């Protein structure tokens, strides 16, 4: 099978790495990919992954058997719709269904229709109405730009003036079109958990849990990031909780979309808050987590290509995933300045010294034969072991072998004192 993988980060390298292990694969093409993906397949940079028509024309001309979409932007741009139009199977939802992520108001409407527990909210396209609503409620205040804002569109604050200013920022264009609609939510308190599913039609097959560390610095200090590391399995997220999320969240939402004539095919990421009154959904994403994928793919024993191909053909029912009992720990090697202003163009050395851990590229490129950083999260190293301490030791030993100026790695990932 010829597979086209869209995306260029650590998540996509991990997905590609796993797809590449399938006996069914004949060729892996990544668009645009990264130097890690280049080692296991071809890259194409002639087309943009968010140019739906160009992706469809390319996949069709190349005789691609399956397109797998890593990030959310191509889905919101209608890549899956365009591929379906030209008859190329795709694992990723159509634009309408992908609004579960690209519109917070849409997600709220679907949750209401499916009776999914979530925070109460107001939804506004009018600034004055949003501000009046804020004045009527008590803090803490949760104000969200409706659309895709690279994880930066949400403000949680006790300060009403700050909340009002966020509403103004949204309507004044800080998040462009994504801020032209604003959702204001009831504040929820508790621990956060994310559960991922492989979905097709009304079937949702859960992946095992992984826990990520969102803050930049040790002890969960410093600014929020995309994720600085993670581990799997997670002892305190029991299997019954995953099953609860499947039957009370994922499947009802999938049924609601199917009833509307927009069945959902693709990964589904459910973010939950474990409150005193039970779990409540915070958000949906139409993609897998990054860096969670980097610890899940090495532990997954089932053939990913077979699964995603079945998903794209609407035949996931009865699928059951096999997992390695081994532990995986992922460390993110970040650039100085991340997340605000990451330095790029830093020369990276030492990758060839790593023998015990898996290296997934996230923000790298090769220029004149040299590996350089291109973004904030540069590389992931994943250690594996029969227990968490072994996996952790493996990952940290590998992270020490790789060098670039100002390399930042949290030192407490998967340790007993690093927990959020
Ligand atoms: P979202 O992108 O909607 O998941 O929001 C980003 C982050 O803001 C979440 O991961 C939570 O930490 C926080 N958050 C979102 N909604 C709420 C809420 N209703 N109550 C408390 N915190 C929230
Ligand atoms: N690690 C969280 C995310 O992918 O959004």
């Amino acid at each position: 099978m010829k597979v086209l993988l869209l995306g260029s980060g650590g998540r996509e390298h991990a997905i590609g790495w796993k797809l590449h292990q399938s006996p069914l694969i004949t060729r892996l093409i990544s668009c645009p990919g990264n130097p890690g993906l280049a080692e296991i397949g071809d890259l194409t940079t002639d087309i943009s992954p968010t140019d739906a028509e160009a992706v469809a024309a390319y996949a069709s001309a190349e005789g691609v058997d399956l397109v797998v979409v890593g990030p959310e932007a191509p889905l919101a741009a209608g890549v899956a719709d365009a591929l379906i139009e030209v008859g190329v199977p795709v694992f990723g939802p159509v634009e309408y269904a992908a609004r579960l992520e690209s519109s917070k108001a849409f997600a709220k409407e679907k949750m209401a229709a499916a009776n999914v527990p979530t925070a109460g909210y107001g939804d506004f396209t009018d600034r004055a109405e949003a501000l009046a609503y804020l004045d009527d409620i008590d803090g803490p205040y949760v104000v969200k730009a409706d659309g895709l804002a690279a994880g930066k569109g949400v403000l949680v604050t006790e300060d009403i003036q700050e909340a009002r200013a966020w509403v103004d920022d949204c309507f004044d264009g800080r998040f462009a079109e994504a801020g032209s609609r604003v959702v204001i939510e009831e504040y929820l308190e508790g621990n956060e958990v994310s559960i991922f599913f492989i979905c097709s039609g009304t079937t949702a097959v859960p992946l095992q849990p992984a826990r990520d560390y969102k803050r930049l610095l040790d002890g969960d200090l410093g600014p929020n990031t995309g994720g600085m590391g993670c581990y799997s399995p997670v002892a305190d997220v029991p299997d019954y909780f995953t099953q609860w999320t499947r039957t009370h969240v994922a499947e009802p939402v999938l049924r609601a979309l199917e009833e509307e004539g927009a069945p959902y095919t693709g990964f589904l990421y459910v973010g939950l808050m474990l409150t005193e009154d039970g779990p409540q959904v915070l958000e949906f994403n139409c993609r897998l987590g990054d860096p969670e994928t980097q610890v899940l793919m090495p532990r997954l024993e089932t053939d990913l290509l077979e699964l995603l191909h079945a998903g794209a053909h609407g035949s996931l029912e009865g699928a059951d995933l096999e997992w390695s009992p081994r532990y995986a720990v992922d460390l993110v090697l970040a650039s100085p300045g991340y997340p605000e202003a990451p330095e790029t163009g830093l020369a990276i050395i030492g990758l060839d010294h790593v023998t015990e851990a898996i290296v997934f590229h996230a923000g790298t490129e090769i220029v004149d034969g040299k590996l350089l950083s291109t973004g904030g999260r540069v590389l992931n190293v994943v250690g594996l072991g029969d227990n968490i301490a072994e996996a952790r030791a493996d990952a940290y030993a590998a992270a020490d072998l790789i060098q670039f100026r100002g390399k930042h790695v949290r030192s407490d990932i998967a340790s007993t004192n690093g927990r959020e």
Side-chain angles (χ1 to χ4, degrees):
M1 246 186 270
K2 213 186 250 190
V3 180
L4 174 64
L5 172 64
L6 303 185
S8 64
R11 168 184 50 216
E12 287 74 29
H13 188 186
I15 291 172
W17 174 87
K18 184 68 192 162
L19 290 172
H20 176 69
Q21 290 172 9
S22 170
L24 302 173
I25 200 154
T26 54
R27 188 172 170 212
L28 175 68
I29 311 165
S30 303
C31 170
N34 65 37
L37 283 159
E39 284 174 15
I40 53 175
D42 300 321
L43 306 186
T44 176
T45 49
D46 295 344
I47 50 168
S48 157
T50 53
D51 184 340
E53 300 309 321
V55 169
Y58 176 86
S60 186
E62 287 289 329
V64 165
D65 299 293
L66 179 69
V67 178
V68 178
V69 186
E72 65 280 10
L75 300 167
V79 156
D81 309 63
L83 286 162
I84 291 167
E85 186 85 8
V86 296
V88 176
V90 52
F91 192 77
V94 293
E95 186 274 332
Y96 180 81
R99 289 183 202 175
L100 281 185
E101 174 167 3
S102 65
S103 166
K104 298 209 179 269
F106 179 90
K108 285 293 201 185
E109 284 160 21
K110 294 308 143 210
M111 285 191 261
N115 264 321
V116 169
T118 186
Y121 75 107
D123 161 25
F124 305 95
T125 49
D126 181 84
R127 180 194 310 242
E129 283 177 24
L131 292 173
Y133 182 88
L134 272 182
D135 289 337
D136 273 351
I137 59 172
D138 295 327
Y141 306 93
V142 182
V143 185
K144 302 183 175 185
D146 178 65
L148 293 180
K152 296 194 166 76
V154 176
L155 176 76
V156 181
T157 180
E158 306 227 1
D159 181 346
I160 178 82
Q161 292 313 330
E162 234 185 349
R164 290 178 63 94
W166 198 258
V167 167
D168 280 330
D169 282 356
C170 286
F171 287 114
D172 286 341
R174 175 169 177 166
F175 306 108
E177 195 44 37
S180 61
R181 192 170 178 182
V182 168
V183 169
I184 301 177
E185 281 186 20
E186 174 198 352
Y187 174 76
L188 300 174
E189 208 168 334
N191 285 324
E192 288 185 52
V193 177
S194 305
I195 308 282
F196 309 124
F197 297 90
I198 294 177
C199 301
S200 182
T202 55
T203 307
V205 182
L207 300 182
Q208 282 208 346
R211 170 160 285 141
D212 75 338
Y213 293 76
K214 289 223 173 78
R215 301 289 188 132
L216 181 68
L217 305 174
D218 285 10
D220 286 330
L221 298 174
N224 257 322
T225 71
M228 290 301 298
C230 63
Y231 66 91
S232 176
V234 185
D236 57 312
V237 182
D239 189 49
Y240 71 77
F241 181 70
T242 303
Q243 293 306 332
W244 180 93
T245 308
R246 176 187 201 164
T247 52
H248 289 81
V249 180
E251 289 176 349
V253 168
L254 292 180
R255 281 197 296 273
L257 285 170
E258 185 162 271
E259 277 163 24
E260 280 189 75
Y264 188 101
T265 301
F267 298 113
L268 181 67
Y269 169 137
V270 182
L272 301 125
M273 188 75 93
L274 305 180
T275 75
E276 272 185 358
D277 303 327
Q280 308 253 353
V281 175
L282 287 172
E283 64 163 343
F284 292 118
N285 293 313
C286 298
R287 54 175 179 83
L288 291 179
D290 185 338
E292 292 92 325
T293 308
Q294 288 88 309
V295 289
L296 292 172
M297 292 302 114
R299 297 192 54 244
L300 181 64
E301 290 185 338
T302 309
D303 185 332
L304 183 69
L305 179 51
E306 206 176 317
L307 268 175
L308 302 189
H309 185 258
H313 289 84
S315 51
L316 259 192
E317 223 162 318
D320 199 13
L321 305 189
E322 302 269 338
W323 294 92
S324 158
R326 301 192 86 201
Y327 284 75
V329 172
D330 172 78
L331 306 176
V332 170
L333 280 52
S335 309
Y338 179 68
E340 286 309 320
E343 267 187 62
T344 57
L346 301 169
I348 306 162
I349 54 167
L351 257 72
D352 43 351
H353 297 149
V354 178
T355 50
E356 293 298 309
I358 308 168
V359 178
F360 291 126
H361 291 243
T364 66
E365 64 177 343
I366 293 178
V367 178
D368 296 335
K370 289 200 181 107
L371 188 65
L372 303 179
S373 71
T374 58
R377 292 191 291 180
V378 179
L379 292 162
N380 298 264
V381 290
V382 180
L384 294 162
D386 293 334
N387 54 55
I388 197 112
E390 240 179 74
R392 192 171 186 271
D394 232 33
Y396 276 100
D400 277 347
L401 297 172
I402 301 172
Q403 296 303 329
F404 54 89
R405 186 171 55 72
K407 175 187 77 174
H408 171 63
V409 183
R410 263 183 74 158
S411 72
D412 60 353
I413 303 298
S415 73
T416 44
N417 58 4
R419 214 22 255 144
E420 295 189 340

